[in-house]
Amino acid sequence: MKNKKGVEKMGNLFQKAIAKQKQFYIYELIKTGMFTDISSLTQWTVKELRHEYERNVLQRKKKKIGG
């Protein structure tokens, strides 16, 4: 029983970590002004959000630094 509770706790921690990661990416993408529909972004996977973040937000930061 003790081990099962530990696994459940780790599962809950993992779910919370994924939710926080998604919130971060959604917030950053909304800040760009390119996305206005938060509800559609919540349906994306973390992988999709991260890809879009890297494609848009990080490229903009590079342009600001270089140009």
Side-chain angles (χ1 to χ4, degrees):
M1 282 288 178
K2 190 174 186 180
N3 190 25
K4 188 174 182 180
K5 285 185 179 182
V7 171
E8 288 176 11
K9 187 174 182 179
M10 286 300 292
N12 289 338
L13 290 173
F14 183 72
Q15 287 177 345
K16 287 179 184 179
I18 294 295
K20 281 188 174 193
Q21 195 174 24
K22 282 183 82 167
Q23 287 175 344
F24 167 79
Y25 288 127
I26 290 170
Y27 176 73
E28 291 296 319
L29 290 170
I30 293 295
K31 279 189 349 185
T32 66
M34 297 177 70
F35 299 91
T36 56
D37 187 14
I38 295 173
S39 63
S40 67
L41 289 176
T42 59
Q43 302 302 314
W44 291 20
T45 64
V46 172
K47 183 179 179 180
E48 293 168 325
L49 290 166
R50 181 179 8 179
H51 174 74
E52 201 62 32
Y53 170 78
E54 290 171 350
R55 197 169 73 85
N56 290 304
V57 176
L58 294 181
Q59 284 181 354
R60 287 179 180 214
K61 286 181 180 179
K62 285 181 184 177
K63 287 181 183 177
K64 281 184 180 180
I65 293 170

